[in-house]
């Protein structure tokens, strides 16, 4: 099946710094990718839709200047958490749609802001 | 508005017994429904989907789900649970609009399945 990777799997950063998370579709192209945030034992909250070659579409309440999304190629989308604060600590997951309507999810990135 | 509900936070079953994880939905138009499983500190794995056709959908790891239009439900089932099935399960519906393979998903709250030996 299709594979989506994320890097890094875990990252610890200091408050005020920026962190970049990569999402790659390894064996297929994705003009669209999705970024989710998940709190412990909670459902996934869709943050934004990443569109290759154009601006990302953000969900209501998500700060686009804080969560910068770039989809520079058909296999790579990046999420940059700018000026991170402890409340940004979370599990971030990306996904890419398959040909049959399902989505393929990355393994997630655990961000801890100290 | 489209939504998905998983009424149970946790389901406990004994190994070897049948299991059911409940899901109800509210959509405009025909629903595209999905089940995913998540193991600790991992991403979501696709289990099965209903787009059209037979109401009983068979998926990975022996799971199946039954689409019931009149009850707007899509419950996940397995005839005989394994301890290794213990995980977090999510029901999801594709948001209407857009093409079928690029639409974003709305997830239920998730149900923790605990299978005890």
């Amino acid at each position: 099946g299709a594979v989506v990777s994320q890097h890094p799997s875990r990252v610890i950063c200091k408050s005020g710094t920026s962190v970049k998370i990569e999402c790659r579709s390894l064996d297929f192209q994705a003009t669209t990718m999705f970024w989710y945030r998940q709190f412990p034992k909670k459902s996934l909250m869709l943050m934004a839709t990443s569109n290759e070659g154009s601006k990302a579409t953000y969900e209501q309440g998500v700060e686009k200047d804080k969560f910068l999304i770039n989809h520079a190629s058909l296999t790579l989308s990046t999420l940059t958490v700018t000026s991170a604060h402890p409340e940004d600590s979370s599990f971030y997951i990306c996904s890419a749609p398959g040909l049959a309507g399902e989505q393929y999810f990355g393994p997630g990135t655990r961000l801890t802001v100290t | 508005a489209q939504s998905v509900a998983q009424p149970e936070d946790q389901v406990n079953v004994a190994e070897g017994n049948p299991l059911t994880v409940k899901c109800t939905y509210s959509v405009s138009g025909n629903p595209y429904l999905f089940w995913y499983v998540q193991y600790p500190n991992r991403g979501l794995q696709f289990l099965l989907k209903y787009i059209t056709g037979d109401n009983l959908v068979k998926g990975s790891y022996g799971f199946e789900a039954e689409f019931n239009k009149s009850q707007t439900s899509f419950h996940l089932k397995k005839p005989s649970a394994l301890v290794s099935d213990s995980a977090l399960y999510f029901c999801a519906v594709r948001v209407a609009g857009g093409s079928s393979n690029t639409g974003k998903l709305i997830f239920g709250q998730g149900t923790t399945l605990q299978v005890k030996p």
Side-chain angles (χ1 to χ4, degrees):
Chain A
V3 177
V4 174
S5 70
Q6 279 183 244
H7 178 80
S9 58
R10 294 174 181 269
V11 57
I12 301 172
C13 71
K14 293 186 177 180
S15 187
T17 62
S18 295
V19 175
K20 180 185 285 187
I21 302 170
E22 294 184 346
C23 177
R24 293 181 185 273
S25 55
L26 296 185
D27 50 1
F28 66 106
Q29 294 181 334
T31 56
T32 300
M33 290 184 178
F34 301 98
W35 285 97
Y36 297 86
R37 182 173 178 175
Q38 184 180 32
F39 295 96
K41 296 187 178 180
K42 295 289 185 183
S43 187
L44 280 72
M45 181 193 80
L46 178 65
M47 298 174 66
T49 303
S50 174
N51 303 300
E52 188 269 334
S54 64
K55 291 182 180 180
T57 305
Y58 289 82
E59 296 299 303
Q60 191 173 9
V62 178
E63 299 176 59
K64 62 180 181 181
D65 294 331
K66 177 154 186 72
F67 298 100
L68 300 178
I69 291 172
N70 186 292
H71 196 148
S73 78
L74 288 171
T75 59
L76 174 64
S77 174
T78 60
L79 168 68
T80 301
V81 182
T82 63
S83 187
H85 288 97
E87 57 264 32
D88 298 325
S89 299
S90 194
F91 194 55
Y92 293 87
I93 305 176
C94 69
S95 72
L99 294 176
E102 74 277 28
Q103 286 190 20
Y104 297 101
F105 287 82
T109 297
R110 172 75 59 195
L111 170 63
T112 303
V113 185
T114 60
Chain B
Q2 298 180 122
S3 64
V4 177
Q6 291 179 242
E8 303 153 315
D9 274 347
Q10 182 157 328
V11 170
N12 299 310
V13 297
E15 187 174 33
N17 283 1
L19 69 87
T20 298
V21 183
K22 296 180 180 178
C23 171
T24 58
Y25 64 89
S26 174
V27 301
S28 53
N30 294 322
Y32 286 38
L33 297 159
F34 304 83
W35 274 103
Y36 289 86
V37 60
Q38 185 181 32
Y39 296 96
N41 294 311
R42 303 289 295 275
L44 275 67
Q45 295 179 34
F46 169 75
L47 280 179
L48 49 79
K49 67 178 185 283
Y50 173 82
I51 306 293
T52 186
D54 290 341
N55 290 341
L56 184 63
V57 179
K58 294 187 183 296
S60 306
Y61 312 119
F63 284 94
E64 57 189 30
E66 186 168 10
F67 171 65
N68 188 316
K69 188 173 183 178
S70 63
Q71 297 184 6
T72 61
S73 67
F74 189 57
H75 300 333
L76 180 71
K77 299 181 179 183
K78 187 172 182 180
S80 178
L82 299 173
V83 172
S84 57
D85 292 330
S86 298
L88 184 55
Y89 289 81
F90 290 102
C91 182
V93 63
R94 185 183 69 82
V95 174
S99 61
S100 64
N101 60 344
T102 58
K104 56 188 180 183
L105 297 178
I106 295 174
F107 286 87
Q109 306 93 308
T111 298
T112 298
L113 173 65
Q114 190 78 272
V115 181
K116 297 187 176 179

